[in-house]
Amino acid sequence: MATDCTAETLKDPKERQSLRRRLLAWFGKHKRDMPWRRTRDPYQIWLSEIMLQQTTVAMAGPKFTVFVAAFPTVHDLAAADEQQVLRMWEGLGYYRRARGLHAAAKVIVAEHDGQLPRDVKSLMALPGVGRYTAGAVASFAYDVSAPIVETNTQRVLARLTGYRDEVVGGAGQRHIWNAAEALLPTTGAGTYNLALMELGALVCKPSDPRCDECPVTAHCAAFAGGLQNEIPKLAAKVKVTAVREGTVVVRKSGRVLLRQRAKGERWEGMWDFPRFALDGEGPLFVRRELVDNVREQTGVDIEPGPLLTTIKHGVTRYRITLECYEARATGGRVKSTDESSVRWTPLAELGDLPLSVTARKIATLITKQG
DNA sequence: AAGTCGGGGTG
DNA sequence: CACCCAGACTT
Protein backbone atom coordinates (compact mmCIF):
# COMPACT_ATOMS: atom_id res chain seq x y z
CA MET A 1 0.00 0.00 0.00
CA ALA A 2 1.75 3.05 -1.27
CA THR A 3 0.18 5.52 1.11
CA ASP A 4 0.53 3.54 4.34
CA CYS A 5 3.66 5.35 5.39
CA THR A 6 2.78 8.67 3.87
CA ALA A 7 2.02 11.57 6.18
CA GLU A 8 -1.55 12.43 6.89
CA THR A 9 -1.33 15.66 4.91
CA LEU A 10 -0.41 13.85 1.69
CA LYS A 11 -3.23 11.31 1.75
CA ASP A 12 -5.63 13.75 0.19
CA PRO A 13 -5.40 13.79 -3.63
CA LYS A 14 -6.27 17.48 -3.75
CA GLU A 15 -3.51 18.19 -1.30
CA ARG A 16 -1.02 16.34 -3.47
CA GLN A 17 -2.17 18.13 -6.59
CA SER A 18 -1.86 21.48 -4.88
CA LEU A 19 1.66 20.60 -3.78
CA ARG A 20 2.66 19.61 -7.31
CA ARG A 21 1.18 22.78 -8.80
CA ARG A 22 3.08 25.03 -6.41
CA LEU A 23 6.27 23.06 -6.92
CA LEU A 24 6.06 23.28 -10.71
CA ALA A 25 5.34 27.00 -10.61
CA TRP A 26 8.43 27.50 -8.46
CA PHE A 27 10.51 25.30 -10.77
CA GLY A 28 9.45 27.33 -13.77
CA LYS A 29 11.07 30.40 -12.24
CA HIS A 30 14.13 28.90 -10.58
CA LYS A 31 15.32 25.94 -12.63
CA ARG A 32 19.02 26.06 -13.44
CA ASP A 33 20.54 25.59 -16.85
CA MET A 34 22.67 22.47 -17.19
CA PRO A 35 24.21 20.80 -20.26
CA TRP A 36 22.06 17.67 -19.92
CA ARG A 37 18.89 19.72 -19.56
CA ARG A 38 19.33 21.03 -23.07
CA THR A 39 18.72 17.66 -24.67
CA ARG A 40 16.08 14.94 -24.75
CA ASP A 41 18.57 12.41 -26.11
CA PRO A 42 18.10 9.37 -23.83
CA TYR A 43 21.76 8.45 -24.29
CA GLN A 44 22.95 11.82 -23.02
CA ILE A 45 20.47 11.78 -20.16
CA TRP A 46 21.60 8.31 -19.12
CA LEU A 47 25.24 9.39 -19.34
CA SER A 48 24.58 12.45 -17.20
CA GLU A 49 22.85 10.35 -14.54
CA ILE A 50 25.76 7.95 -14.28
CA MET A 51 28.17 10.86 -14.15
CA LEU A 52 26.17 12.59 -11.42
CA GLN A 53 26.07 9.59 -9.06
CA GLN A 54 27.67 10.90 -5.86
CA THR A 55 29.15 13.74 -7.88
CA THR A 56 28.33 17.44 -7.78
CA VAL A 57 26.73 19.24 -10.70
CA ALA A 58 29.70 21.61 -10.80
CA MET A 59 32.18 18.75 -11.24
CA ALA A 60 30.13 16.81 -13.78
CA GLY A 61 29.26 19.72 -16.08
CA PRO A 62 32.56 20.23 -17.92
CA LYS A 63 33.28 16.49 -17.99
CA PHE A 64 29.90 15.80 -19.54
CA THR A 65 30.47 18.21 -22.42
CA VAL A 66 33.89 16.78 -23.23
CA PHE A 67 32.62 13.21 -22.94
CA VAL A 68 29.70 13.78 -25.30
CA ALA A 69 32.04 15.38 -27.82
CA ALA A 70 34.28 12.30 -27.66
CA PHE A 71 31.42 9.77 -27.74
CA PRO A 72 28.39 11.47 -29.36
CA THR A 73 26.25 8.32 -29.55
CA VAL A 74 25.86 5.05 -27.69
CA HIS A 75 27.39 3.36 -30.75
CA ASP A 76 30.55 5.46 -30.43
CA LEU A 77 30.77 4.59 -26.76
CA ALA A 78 30.18 0.88 -27.34
CA ALA A 79 32.89 0.80 -30.01
CA ALA A 80 35.44 2.68 -27.90
CA ASP A 81 38.38 1.14 -26.12
CA GLU A 82 37.83 0.91 -22.36
CA GLN A 83 41.09 2.76 -21.74
CA GLN A 84 39.77 5.72 -23.72
CA VAL A 85 36.58 5.71 -21.67
CA LEU A 86 38.53 5.65 -18.41
CA ARG A 87 40.73 8.45 -19.70
CA MET A 88 37.65 10.60 -20.31
CA TRP A 89 36.38 9.75 -16.83
CA GLU A 90 39.65 10.77 -15.19
CA GLY A 91 39.15 13.00 -12.15
CA LEU A 92 35.52 12.05 -11.55
CA GLY A 93 36.24 9.14 -9.22
CA TYR A 94 34.21 5.97 -8.71
CA TYR A 95 35.75 4.56 -11.86
CA ARG A 96 33.55 1.49 -11.71
CA ARG A 97 30.90 3.79 -13.16
CA ALA A 98 32.93 4.28 -16.32
CA ARG A 99 33.48 0.55 -16.77
CA GLY A 100 29.78 -0.12 -16.15
CA LEU A 101 28.80 2.62 -18.58
CA HIS A 102 30.97 1.11 -21.29
CA ALA A 103 29.65 -2.40 -20.64
CA ALA A 104 26.07 -1.12 -20.66
CA ALA A 105 26.62 0.67 -23.98
CA LYS A 106 27.59 -2.65 -25.53
CA VAL A 107 24.44 -4.27 -24.14
CA ILE A 108 22.28 -1.43 -25.46
CA VAL A 109 23.73 -1.82 -28.94
CA ALA A 110 23.63 -5.61 -28.92
CA GLU A 111 20.29 -6.22 -27.25
CA HIS A 112 18.28 -3.01 -27.54
CA ASP A 113 19.05 -1.94 -31.10
CA GLY A 114 21.02 1.04 -29.80
CA GLN A 115 18.02 2.51 -27.95
CA LEU A 116 17.89 3.13 -24.22
CA PRO A 117 15.05 1.01 -22.78
CA ARG A 118 11.96 2.91 -21.62
CA ASP A 119 10.91 0.73 -18.73
CA VAL A 120 12.42 0.71 -15.28
CA LYS A 121 12.93 -3.04 -15.16
CA SER A 122 14.96 -3.19 -18.39
CA LEU A 123 16.95 -0.14 -17.37
CA MET A 124 17.81 -1.69 -14.01
CA ALA A 125 19.19 -4.74 -15.80
CA LEU A 126 21.98 -2.55 -17.18
CA PRO A 127 25.22 -2.43 -15.19
CA GLY A 128 25.48 0.68 -13.03
CA VAL A 129 21.75 1.42 -13.22
CA GLY A 130 19.89 1.12 -9.94
CA ARG A 131 16.37 2.16 -9.05
CA TYR A 132 17.18 5.86 -8.94
CA THR A 133 18.96 6.03 -12.30
CA ALA A 134 16.33 3.84 -13.96
CA GLY A 135 13.56 6.13 -12.74
CA ALA A 136 15.52 9.19 -13.78
CA VAL A 137 16.12 8.00 -17.35
CA ALA A 138 12.57 6.68 -17.75
CA SER A 139 10.99 9.91 -16.50
CA PHE A 140 13.43 12.54 -17.84
CA ALA A 141 13.91 11.02 -21.29
CA TYR A 142 10.55 9.35 -21.89
CA ASP A 143 8.25 10.98 -19.36
CA VAL A 144 7.38 7.59 -17.92
CA SER A 145 5.74 7.92 -14.49
CA ALA A 146 8.53 6.39 -12.46
CA PRO A 147 9.55 7.72 -9.03
CA ILE A 148 13.07 8.75 -8.13
CA VAL A 149 14.84 8.93 -4.80
CA GLU A 150 18.32 10.37 -4.47
CA THR A 151 19.90 12.53 -1.83
CA ASN A 152 17.83 15.65 -2.65
CA THR A 153 14.43 14.06 -3.04
CA GLN A 154 15.08 11.79 -0.07
CA ARG A 155 15.59 14.84 2.12
CA VAL A 156 12.57 16.68 0.71
CA LEU A 157 10.28 13.68 1.08
CA ALA A 158 11.47 12.92 4.60
CA ARG A 159 10.67 16.49 5.62
CA LEU A 160 7.36 16.72 3.77
CA THR A 161 6.17 13.54 5.47
CA GLY A 162 7.76 14.36 8.82
CA TYR A 163 9.67 11.07 8.90
CA ARG A 164 11.76 11.13 12.08
CA ASP A 165 13.34 7.68 11.92
CA GLU A 166 16.51 6.66 10.16
CA VAL A 167 16.10 7.04 6.37
CA VAL A 168 18.95 4.69 5.48
CA GLY A 169 17.94 1.09 5.96
CA GLY A 170 15.01 -1.01 4.88
CA ALA A 171 12.08 0.64 6.66
CA GLY A 172 13.26 4.17 5.94
CA GLN A 173 13.83 3.50 2.26
CA ARG A 174 10.44 1.83 1.93
CA HIS A 175 8.82 4.89 3.44
CA ILE A 176 10.64 7.35 1.19
CA TRP A 177 10.03 5.37 -2.02
CA ASN A 178 6.37 4.98 -1.09
CA ALA A 179 6.10 8.72 -0.58
CA ALA A 180 7.82 9.36 -3.93
CA GLU A 181 5.38 7.05 -5.65
CA ALA A 182 2.36 8.54 -3.89
CA LEU A 183 3.20 12.07 -4.98
CA LEU A 184 4.08 11.19 -8.56
CA PRO A 185 1.75 12.65 -11.22
CA THR A 186 0.40 10.43 -13.99
CA THR A 187 1.58 12.85 -16.66
CA GLY A 188 4.57 15.17 -16.63
CA ALA A 189 6.51 12.96 -14.23
CA GLY A 190 9.85 13.97 -15.71
CA THR A 191 9.44 17.67 -15.04
CA TYR A 192 7.92 16.96 -11.64
CA ASN A 193 10.86 14.75 -10.63
CA LEU A 194 13.32 17.41 -11.76
CA ALA A 195 11.43 20.03 -9.81
CA LEU A 196 11.45 18.02 -6.59
CA MET A 197 15.18 17.43 -6.96
CA GLU A 198 15.84 21.08 -7.70
CA LEU A 199 13.88 22.12 -4.63
CA GLY A 200 16.13 19.92 -2.52
CA ALA A 201 19.26 21.35 -4.12
CA LEU A 202 18.35 25.04 -3.90
CA VAL A 203 15.90 25.44 -1.01
CA CYS A 204 15.37 22.31 1.07
CA LYS A 205 19.09 22.05 1.81
CA PRO A 206 20.72 19.69 4.34
CA SER A 207 21.36 22.29 7.03
CA ASP A 208 19.40 25.49 7.56
CA PRO A 209 16.91 24.98 4.75
CA ARG A 210 15.44 28.19 3.34
CA CYS A 211 11.86 27.52 4.36
CA ASP A 212 11.06 31.20 3.84
CA GLU A 213 11.64 30.65 0.11
CA CYS A 214 9.89 27.29 -0.09
CA PRO A 215 6.73 26.98 -2.19
CA VAL A 216 5.37 23.96 -0.32
CA THR A 217 5.72 24.77 3.38
CA ALA A 218 1.94 24.55 3.61
CA HIS A 219 2.29 20.82 2.92
CA CYS A 220 5.41 20.18 4.99
CA ALA A 221 5.14 18.22 8.24
CA ALA A 222 8.69 19.06 9.28
CA PHE A 223 8.04 22.78 8.83
CA ALA A 224 4.81 22.51 10.79
CA GLY A 225 6.67 20.88 13.67
CA GLY A 226 9.80 23.02 13.42
CA LEU A 227 11.81 19.87 12.72
CA GLN A 228 13.59 20.92 9.52
CA ASN A 229 17.00 20.56 11.15
CA GLU A 230 16.21 17.20 12.79
CA ILE A 231 14.89 15.59 9.60
CA PRO A 232 16.25 13.59 7.93
CA LYS A 233 18.07 11.87 10.74
CA LEU A 234 21.77 11.80 9.98
CA ALA A 235 23.44 8.47 9.35
CA ALA A 236 26.17 7.33 11.70
CA LYS A 237 29.38 8.81 10.46
CA VAL A 238 32.16 6.51 9.37
CA LYS A 239 35.48 6.99 11.05
CA VAL A 240 38.41 8.06 8.91
CA THR A 241 41.64 6.07 8.97
CA ALA A 242 44.96 7.77 8.39
CA VAL A 243 47.23 5.96 5.96
CA ARG A 244 50.76 6.59 4.76
CA GLU A 245 51.74 5.46 1.29
CA GLY A 246 54.76 5.70 -0.97
CA THR A 247 55.04 5.99 -4.73
CA VAL A 248 58.13 6.03 -6.90
CA VAL A 249 58.96 7.68 -10.22
CA VAL A 250 61.52 5.31 -11.68
CA ARG A 251 63.30 6.76 -14.71
CA LYS A 252 65.24 5.06 -17.46
CA SER A 253 66.37 6.93 -20.55
CA GLY A 254 63.44 9.32 -20.88
CA ARG A 255 60.84 6.81 -19.79
CA VAL A 256 59.04 6.16 -16.52
CA LEU A 257 57.89 2.91 -14.94
CA LEU A 258 54.12 2.41 -14.77
CA ARG A 259 51.88 -0.45 -13.77
CA GLN A 260 48.23 -1.00 -14.51
CA ARG A 261 45.95 -1.45 -11.53
CA ALA A 262 44.66 -5.01 -11.34
CA LYS A 263 41.15 -6.34 -10.97
CA GLY A 264 39.87 -5.92 -7.43
CA GLU A 265 42.36 -3.16 -6.68
CA ARG A 266 41.45 0.44 -6.18
CA TRP A 267 41.53 2.30 -9.55
CA GLU A 268 41.15 -0.95 -11.47
CA GLY A 269 42.28 -0.62 -15.07
CA MET A 270 44.04 2.69 -14.52
CA TRP A 271 47.77 3.28 -14.70
CA ASP A 272 49.87 4.37 -11.77
CA PHE A 273 53.42 4.70 -10.60
CA PRO A 274 54.44 1.81 -8.33
CA ARG A 275 52.58 2.56 -5.12
CA PHE A 276 52.29 0.84 -1.75
CA ALA A 277 51.76 1.24 1.98
CA LEU A 278 54.66 2.78 3.84
CA ASP A 279 55.41 1.58 7.36
CA GLY A 280 58.95 2.61 8.29
CA GLU A 281 59.86 5.90 9.93
CA GLY A 282 63.59 6.40 9.39
CA PRO A 283 65.08 7.29 5.96
CA LEU A 284 67.01 4.03 5.74
CA PHE A 285 63.91 2.00 6.52
CA VAL A 286 61.87 3.89 3.91
CA ARG A 287 64.63 3.43 1.35
CA ARG A 288 64.48 -0.31 1.91
CA GLU A 289 60.70 -0.31 1.50
CA LEU A 290 60.93 1.53 -1.80
CA VAL A 291 63.44 -0.97 -3.18
CA ASP A 292 61.49 -4.02 -2.00
CA ASN A 293 58.06 -2.85 -3.08
CA VAL A 294 59.09 -1.63 -6.52
CA ARG A 295 60.89 -4.91 -7.07
CA GLU A 296 57.82 -6.86 -5.96
CA GLN A 297 55.33 -4.86 -8.06
CA THR A 298 57.37 -4.46 -11.23
CA GLY A 299 60.45 -6.69 -11.19
CA VAL A 300 62.70 -3.66 -11.52
CA ASP A 301 65.65 -2.88 -9.22
CA ILE A 302 66.10 0.73 -8.22
CA GLU A 303 68.46 3.19 -6.57
CA PRO A 304 66.14 5.54 -4.62
CA GLY A 305 66.63 9.28 -4.92
CA PRO A 306 65.15 12.29 -3.14
CA LEU A 307 61.58 13.00 -2.09
CA LEU A 308 59.90 14.71 -5.03
CA THR A 309 56.67 15.81 -3.36
CA THR A 310 54.07 14.86 -0.76
CA ILE A 311 50.39 14.73 -1.68
CA LYS A 312 47.53 14.49 0.77
CA HIS A 313 44.22 13.18 -0.49
CA GLY A 314 41.17 11.23 0.57
CA VAL A 315 39.81 7.97 -0.78
CA THR A 316 36.43 7.16 0.74
CA ARG A 317 37.17 6.50 4.40
CA TYR A 318 40.93 6.82 4.15
CA ARG A 319 43.01 9.90 4.61
CA ILE A 320 46.18 9.27 2.65
CA THR A 321 49.53 10.97 2.87
CA LEU A 322 51.42 10.00 -0.26
CA GLU A 323 55.18 10.41 -0.35
CA CYS A 324 56.52 10.52 -3.88
CA TYR A 325 60.17 9.61 -4.41
CA GLU A 326 62.40 9.67 -7.43
CA ALA A 327 64.58 6.73 -8.36
CA ARG A 328 66.72 5.38 -11.16
CA ALA A 329 66.61 1.87 -12.48
CA THR A 330 69.67 -0.24 -11.87
CA GLY A 331 68.57 -3.62 -13.17
CA GLY A 332 65.91 -6.29 -13.26
CA ARG A 333 63.24 -6.43 -15.93
CA VAL A 334 59.54 -5.62 -16.05
CA LYS A 335 57.24 -8.46 -15.16
CA SER A 336 53.67 -8.35 -16.36
CA THR A 337 51.11 -10.81 -15.14
CA ASP A 338 47.66 -11.56 -16.51
CA GLU A 339 46.16 -9.21 -13.97
CA SER A 340 48.61 -6.39 -13.99
CA SER A 341 50.88 -5.16 -16.73
CA VAL A 342 54.02 -3.13 -16.28
CA ARG A 343 55.69 -0.92 -18.86
CA TRP A 344 58.29 1.71 -19.48
CA THR A 345 56.33 4.69 -20.79
CA PRO A 346 57.69 7.73 -22.66
CA LEU A 347 56.73 10.97 -20.92
CA ALA A 348 54.95 12.10 -24.07
CA GLU A 349 52.51 9.18 -23.79
CA LEU A 350 51.38 9.91 -20.24
CA GLY A 351 48.61 12.09 -21.61
CA ASP A 352 47.02 9.14 -23.39
CA LEU A 353 46.72 6.85 -20.38
CA PRO A 354 44.08 6.93 -17.66
CA LEU A 355 45.77 7.89 -14.38
CA SER A 356 44.49 8.45 -10.88
CA VAL A 357 44.42 12.11 -9.92
CA THR A 358 47.53 11.74 -7.77
CA ALA A 359 49.41 9.99 -10.56
CA ARG A 360 48.29 12.74 -12.95
CA LYS A 361 49.63 15.40 -10.60
CA ILE A 362 52.97 13.65 -10.48
CA ALA A 363 52.96 13.15 -14.25
CA THR A 364 52.34 16.85 -14.77
CA LEU A 365 55.11 17.70 -12.34
CA ILE A 366 57.79 15.56 -13.99
CA THR A 367 56.70 16.53 -17.49
CA LYS A 368 57.15 20.22 -16.71
CA GLN A 369 60.54 19.53 -15.17
CA GLY A 370 61.54 17.76 -18.36
C1' DA B 1 22.88 -4.37 6.92
C1' DA B 2 27.38 -2.94 6.40
C1' DG B 3 31.59 -1.93 3.41
C1' DT B 4 33.49 -0.32 -0.68
C1' DC B 5 34.48 2.95 -4.13
C1' DG B 6 37.15 9.33 -5.52
C1' DG B 7 37.59 13.53 -5.44
C1' DG B 8 36.59 18.22 -4.74
C1' DG B 9 33.87 21.95 -2.71
C1' DT B 10 31.95 24.29 1.38
C1' DG B 11 31.15 26.28 6.22
C1' DC C 1 38.36 19.58 10.23
C1' DA C 2 33.30 17.79 9.19
C1' DC C 3 30.00 17.32 6.03
C1' DC C 4 28.15 16.84 1.52
C1' DC C 5 27.40 15.28 -3.36
C1' DA C 6 21.29 13.29 -9.21
C1' DG C 7 24.19 5.64 -5.90
C1' DA C 8 25.29 0.98 -7.11
C1' DC C 9 27.26 -3.19 -5.99
C1' DT C 10 29.41 -6.79 -3.11
C1' DT C 11 29.76 -9.39 0.98
Side-chain angles (χ1 to χ4, degrees):
Chain A
M1 216 50 98
T3 53
D4 272 353
C5 302
T6 306
E8 207 59 37
T9 53
L10 298 179
K11 284 188 174 174
D12 177 10
K14 287 181 182 172
E15 191 92 16
R16 297 200 296 270
Q17 192 174 16
S18 166
L19 188 159
R20 288 193 295 261
R21 198 155 35 222
R22 291 168 194 246
L23 176 66
L24 289 171
W26 172 87
F27 186 55
K29 289 181 200 159
H30 295 93
K31 73 180 286 189
R32 292 170 293 176
D33 182 31
M34 298 174 191
W36 43 85
R37 286 185 179 175
R38 296 184 167 198
T39 180
R40 289 297 300 267
D41 179 0
Y43 162 69
Q44 290 191 36
I45 290 170
W46 165 58
L47 167 64
S48 74
E49 291 308 327
I50 301 296
M51 207 169 258
L52 286 160
Q53 287 170 6
Q54 294 293 284
T55 303
T56 57
V57 168
M59 276 292 290
K63 295 283 185 180
F64 174 83
T65 305
V66 174
F67 198 99
V68 169
F71 310 113
T73 71
V74 70
H75 299 280
D76 299 315
L77 180 58
D81 185 74
E82 186 176 285
Q83 291 284 294
Q84 297 177 278
V85 180
L86 281 172
R87 178 69 186 86
M88 301 303 298
W89 207 264
E90 199 183 285
L92 279 172
Y94 291 123
Y95 297 97
R96 172 184 304 178
R97 293 181 296 170
R99 295 193 302 273
L101 184 80
H102 188 222
K106 292 181 175 180
V107 172
I108 291 163
V109 167
E111 298 178 17
H112 299 284
D113 199 26
Q115 302 290 316
L116 263 290
R118 298 175 154 268
D119 60 295
V120 168
K121 191 177 176 186
S122 302
L123 286 164
M124 283 185 71
L126 298 170
V129 178
R131 192 174 176 188
Y132 161 72
T133 302
V137 172
S139 65
F140 301 163
Y142 299 117
D143 207 34
V144 168
S145 286
I148 60 165
V149 172
E150 40 64 75
T151 186
N152 291 302
T153 45
Q154 172 174 282
R155 187 171 55 250
V156 174
L157 292 166
R159 284 175 177 159
L160 282 175
T161 60
Y163 190 73
R164 305 181 67 161
D165 295 335
E166 188 71 66
V167 289
V168 294
Q173 286 301 295
R174 254 192 311 283
H175 169 88
I176 299 293
W177 277 100
N178 284 345
E181 206 165 349
L183 273 171
L184 197 68
T186 51
T187 63
T191 303
Y192 160 81
N193 278 339
L194 282 173
L196 197 66
M197 210 169 15
E198 195 81 328
L199 186 72
L202 298 180
V203 174
C204 195
K205 305 208 281 192
S207 57
D208 295 320
R210 302 179 182 174
C211 299
D212 53 328
E213 300 173 20
C214 180
V216 294
T217 47
H219 308 278
C220 183
F223 180 77
L227 296 168
Q228 344 28 331
N229 281 314
E230 276 63 56
I231 297 176
K233 197 170 173 184
L234 276 66
K237 51 191 166 197
V238 292
K239 71 173 181 207
V240 174
T241 306
V243 176
R244 184 167 157 243
E245 296 185 357
T247 189
V248 187
V249 178
V250 185
R251 294 172 181 270
K252 190 176 78 172
S253 58
R255 296 169 181 244
V256 290
L257 186 61
L258 295 184
R259 69 177 277 271
Q260 190 174 29
R261 291 270 172 167
K263 197 184 194 79
E265 264 190 303
R266 201 148 63 198
W267 299 305
E268 176 184 337
M270 305 186 72
W271 292 82
D272 204 354
F273 298 97
R275 176 169 170 162
F276 36 84
L278 222 46
D279 299 316
E281 281 301 334
L284 287 178
F285 206 88
V286 169
R287 191 182 164 84
R288 182 53 173 271
E289 284 187 280
L290 302 183
V291 172
D292 291 349
N293 281 290
V294 170
R295 170 77 199 195
E296 186 188 330
Q297 288 193 358
T298 69
V300 172
D301 296 317
I302 63 165
E303 172 73 23
L307 181 68
L308 180 61
T309 186
T310 299
I311 300 172
K312 291 177 184 295
H313 71 119
V315 178
T316 62
R317 52 176 282 256
Y318 298 97
R319 180 71 193 161
I320 303 173
T321 302
L322 178 65
E323 298 177 15
C324 175
Y325 294 87
E326 294 187 279
R328 117 189 127 74
T330 59
R333 59 177 302 180
V334 297
K335 55 148 198 191
S336 293
T337 67
D338 291 343
E339 309 226 307
S340 164
S341 57
V342 179
R343 70 155 84 141
W344 289 103
T345 306
L347 291 179
E349 291 179 19
L350 288 173
D352 301 327
L353 297 174
L355 306 179
S356 66
V357 164
T358 50
R360 179 62 66 197
K361 284 177 180 167
I362 294 166
T364 301
L365 195 61
I366 62 179
T367 304
K368 278 181 185 166
Q369 282 182 347

